[in-house]
Every structure is written in C-alpha cells, then in structure tokens.
Amino acid sequence: MLAGFLLLCRALQAGESLADPAAWKNKQLRLNAILAILYLLVKFLPVELAPDDLDAIASSIALIGGLINSYLTVATSDKVGLCR
C-alpha cells in the first residue's frame, strides 16, 4: 500500500504528457458532469434522510470528485506539478 502511495506522489512530481491529451481531458469533463449530476440528484431527490445528512453526502461527492480531478490533472501533465 505504501508503494502505491509513493507511486501516486511520484506521478504528481514528475508529470508526463499524455499521448492524446484531448481524449483525456474529455474523459475528465465527463467525470465532472457525472459528479455534478450525482450531486444534484442527492440534493434534490425526495429521500427519507435529514437535510444535514443529504448535505454531507452531496459535499462528499463534490470533495471526492474534486480531489480525483485535481490529481488527474497534475499527474497527466508535464506543464503543471507540485514541484514546478
């Protein structure tokens, strides 16, 4: 598990350009759209949960999506990175 974490960190520092960046960015945009739809569904569908619970779930979806998207942006680009 530690080795996997170190690989993730090394990818953030090195960053490599993708062979087809346009295709990758389109996938990231689709992921963002899916997460936005999930967020809206959780917030506005009539379910038997307290409003605070719904807020926690929706916020978690947004947080996880933002973290994944940020990681993928940095790890797949040679233009941006944590140690630039």
Side-chain angles (χ1 to χ4, degrees):
M1 186 160 129
L2 179 61
F5 179 74
L6 293 175
L7 287 173
L8 291 174
C9 290
R10 191 168 64 200
L12 289 175
Q13 290 176 345
E16 293 187 13
S17 185
L18 299 169
D20 189 2
W24 185 258
K25 297 302 174 191
N26 285 332
K27 290 177 185 177
Q28 281 185 272
L29 289 172
R30 279 189 216 113
L31 175 64
N32 289 341
I34 289 168
L35 290 169
I37 290 168
L38 284 174
Y39 178 87
L40 291 172
L41 286 174
V42 167
K43 286 293 281 183
F44 296 110
L45 279 181
V47 291
E48 299 295 322
L49 289 174
D52 289 343
D53 293 338
L54 288 174
D55 285 342
I57 293 168
S59 297
S60 297
I61 290 170
L63 174 68
I64 291 169
L67 288 173
I68 291 170
N69 193 39
S70 297
Y71 172 80
L72 293 175
T73 298
V74 173
T76 59
S77 173
D78 60 357
K79 307 284 189 264
V80 296
L82 295 180
C83 297
R84 302 260 180 245

